[in-house]
Amino acid sequence: MKKCLGNNFGLKLLSVFVAILIWLMVVNVDDPEKTKAFVIPEQRIQMTNVEEAQAKAEQDQDGKKVYSVVRDDDESGNVTVYVTARRSVLDKLTSADITVSANMQNMTLQDTVPYEVTVPGVKRENVQCFPVAMRFVLEDKSEKTYAISLSTSGQPASGYELGDVKIREGENIIIAGPTSITKTIDKVEVQVDVSNMSENKTVTGSVVITDRNGNNLSKTQMDSLEIKTSSGALIKDNEVNAVVTLWKVQQNIRLKVDTSQIQVDDGYILTSVDLTPSTINLAGSEATLEALNGELVIEGIINSTGATSTIEQTIDLSDYLQDHYKKALKLESGSATAVSVRIQIEKVGTTTVSVPVSDFTIIGQAEDMKIVLTPADKVPVEVRKEDDNAAAITAKDISVTMDLSNYQNEGNYTVELQVELPDGYALESVPSIKVNLEKIQPVTETETETTEE
């Protein structure tokens, strides 16, 4: 056996060497070494020991100078990292795996801080970046106080509305930093996310600073600023505490309108008040909702002297609540804000009956015309009782015909209605309805084929 293994030993050794060589060639062909570029956005570049560097600059400059990042007009602030490695390594690598940082303690005499790049699984000598460093300049420091604007995102959980948001640190904020940045500041906003909240709580809100062009300051610019509360306490990580108060939503609150300011003329009476919608969903503090007792009365909006005809008015409920309840009551999100009010005023001895449009008889309608009616639900018909013995009249007792024979072209028209009444009643006035006629477009062959498909 040993003799057999020893035979042609040199040839066997050569075979092993050739096999290894072939394996290396295959690896280099199938998994070659390449260079790939990864763009690291500015917001992911980590700046460390910033406060220490700024404090040293202020100490050296008697508190009058601070560092700020400087870059050319065509620079974005991003860093491009070039990684040289096997294709198998590069294929698994993403920009999220790469860390780029700038340690302010490494500030050079040229006021630059070299970028430090870390790529897992790749040697430092196989990693390059451009630009190679972050540049700074010492400039004048300025400080100013700004009022905080609040903005919220998201919606609370079902059955709740946002009642109030207050910043625990106060309504003002102090910003100190390089004059080149502070002089461009237009607005300081705290953004609070209230998504799916179902109870009052304190959450963190992000401080967002906007320049005069409407652009948010970049991460690098924000890192150059010192943000403090009105009492001088440093705000870390650009976050403040927001106290969020939620209101429960109360369903189906009845709507009413105060008619005490309406004076009718002699011989007339106010017969009915109709509101659409008749109920609404409101959110408010517990005390405010309890005081409503399931009913919201709209006051001080409708007034008239010597009224002799029906009063129709649309009220913006959102504006009304703002004017009369300030921040104690609001509509449920998504609710319609318009409330249509119809106050029926009739001559003594007359009666107004609302006849459904669906009960109308329509004649003379052009076959190629589509009609849209206003109002689309009911039309008031004012009648006078001429026989004291006549039975009470209802909508079912009235026959209404709409004749469109003289309206054959597109357009908007006011059409008088033909009314038949039961014995003992007469029309007080001829009712009318607004009609919009629109030509029906013929269906093309292409449209027909699409529909069939």
Side-chain angles (χ1 to χ4, degrees):
M1 182 71 175
K2 290 181 179 179
K3 182 178 179 181
C4 182
L5 289 173
N7 290 341
N8 302 318
F9 180 77
L11 184 60
K12 292 177 180 178
L13 187 62
L14 179 62
S15 298
V16 172
F17 175 76
V18 171
I20 293 173
L21 184 62
I22 292 173
W23 179 80
L24 288 173
M25 290 176 62
V26 170
V27 167
N28 280 310
V29 170
D30 288 348
D31 194 16
E33 195 172 73
K34 291 186 175 183
T35 299
K36 186 176 180 180
F38 298 86
V39 177
I40 311 301
E42 179 185 16
Q43 59 266 28
R44 283 197 51 237
I45 298 173
Q46 303 172 5
M47 292 179 63
T48 58
N49 297 309
V50 177
E51 294 178 9
E52 292 81 356
Q54 296 286 19
K56 184 176 184 305
E58 291 189 24
Q59 183 179 2
D60 295 343
Q61 301 292 330
D62 296 326
K64 298 179 180 179
K65 299 281 186 178
V66 289
Y67 281 113
S68 66
V69 177
V70 60
R71 62 170 65 102
D72 296 333
D73 293 338
D74 59 348
E75 289 186 87
S76 65
N78 300 335
V79 172
T80 303
V81 177
Y82 299 92
V83 181
T84 301
R86 293 285 183 190
R87 185 176 64 183
S88 58
V89 174
L90 293 177
D91 287 346
K92 297 178 182 178
L93 195 63
T94 67
S95 60
D97 301 319
I98 301 173
T99 301
V100 179
S101 61
N103 188 343
M104 291 287 284
Q105 288 185 336
N106 295 333
M107 181 82 70
T108 68
L109 294 176
Q110 291 78 30
D111 290 337
T112 61
V113 177
Y115 286 119
E116 298 175 3
V117 184
T118 302
V119 183
V122 179
K123 295 180 179 179
R124 182 64 188 87
E125 57 265 26
N126 291 331
V127 178
Q128 303 294 328
C129 72
F130 181 83
V132 297
M134 184 177 286
R135 294 181 293 152
F136 293 84
V137 64
L138 273 174
E139 63 169 286
D140 292 336
K141 179 182 180 180
S142 63
E143 183 175 284
K144 188 176 178 181
T145 300
Y146 298 85
I148 296 176
S149 298
L150 268 170
S151 71
T152 59
S153 61
Q155 288 293 329
S158 178
Y160 293 88
E161 288 291 329
L162 180 64
D164 191 25
V165 181
K166 290 184 178 179
I167 303 302
R168 181 173 287 175
E169 288 82 354
E171 298 179 351
N172 297 318
I173 209 166
I174 299 172
I175 298 177
T179 302
S180 63
I181 297 176
T182 57
K183 71 180 182 181
T184 68
I185 294 176
D186 179 59
K187 184 173 69 172
V188 177
E189 185 177 68
V190 171
Q191 298 178 343
V192 180
D193 186 4
V194 298
S195 298
N196 299 316
M197 287 181 59
S198 59
E199 60 182 355
N200 300 338
K201 64 169 60 176
T202 299
V203 299
T204 56
S206 302
V207 178
V208 177
I209 301 175
T210 306
D211 63 22
R212 292 172 183 170
N213 293 323
N215 300 317
N216 294 342
L217 297 192
S218 67
K219 179 180 180 297
T220 301
Q221 290 174 313
M222 294 289 288
D223 288 340
S224 300
L225 300 175
E226 188 179 70
I227 304 176
K228 299 176 288 186
T229 66
S230 56
S231 61
L234 188 66
I235 294 175
K236 295 184 178 181
D237 301 322
N238 303 325
E239 290 183 338
V240 294
N241 295 302
V243 181
V244 180
T245 302
L246 296 182
W247 289 340
K248 281 189 176 181
V249 176
Q250 185 169 330
Q251 308 281 334
N252 299 321
I253 294 178
R254 297 182 303 277
L255 274 179
K256 285 192 174 182
V257 171
D258 176 26
T259 59
S260 62
Q261 307 266 340
I262 300 175
Q263 297 179 7
V264 299
D265 204 356
D266 292 340
Y268 290 84
I269 58 172
L270 191 157
T271 58
S272 65
V273 179
D274 294 318
L275 289 86
T276 306
S278 59
T279 63
I280 55 172
N281 299 337
L282 290 178
S285 63
E286 186 174 343
T288 304
L289 291 174
E290 186 175 340
L292 290 179
N293 195 27
E295 183 176 273
L296 176 68
V297 180
I298 302 173
E299 300 177 316
I301 297 295
I302 301 177
N303 55 76
S304 178
T305 302
T308 60
S309 60
T310 298
I311 298 173
E312 293 184 320
Q313 188 169 329
T314 299
I315 298 172
D316 189 315
L317 201 53
S318 181
D319 289 345
Y320 177 82
L321 294 175
Q322 177 64 31
D323 293 341
H324 291 75
Y325 290 89
K326 303 302 179 186
K327 295 183 178 181
L329 203 61
K330 66 189 295 187
L331 283 167
E332 182 182 29
S333 296
S335 299
T337 62
V339 176
S340 297
V341 181
R342 180 183 175 86
I343 300 174
Q344 190 72 41
I345 296 174
E346 299 176 352
K347 193 173 183 179
V348 176
T350 65
T351 301
T352 299
V353 183
S354 295
V355 179
V357 172
S358 58
D359 291 345
F360 287 8
T361 299
I362 302 176
I363 61 175
Q365 178 184 353
E367 293 183 358
D368 60 345
M369 290 291 174
K370 180 177 75 172
I371 63 173
V372 177
L373 303 178
T374 305
D377 51 355
K378 296 179 179 180
V379 170
V381 177
E382 191 176 10
V383 300
R384 180 178 66 256
K385 192 174 185 180
E386 295 186 327
D387 183 353
D388 293 338
N389 296 321
I393 190 171
T394 66
K396 293 181 179 179
D397 301 320
I398 300 174
S399 175
V400 178
T401 301
M402 182 172 63
D403 189 353
L404 298 179
S405 301
N406 296 326
Y407 306 95
Q408 300 295 302
N409 298 319
E410 284 187 302
N412 296 306
Y413 306 96
T414 299
V415 179
E416 290 188 350
L417 301 172
Q418 300 171 9
V419 180
E420 291 184 15
L421 300 173
D423 293 339
Y425 286 91
L427 273 179
E428 181 66 20
S429 60
V430 178
S432 62
I433 190 169
K434 294 179 180 178
V435 180
N436 172 260
L437 295 179
E438 184 178 333
K439 199 171 187 65
I440 299 174
Q441 298 299 323
V443 179
T444 63
E445 291 184 6
T446 303
E447 291 174 337
T448 303
E449 292 175 3
T450 304
T451 303
E452 291 174 353
E453 291 176 359

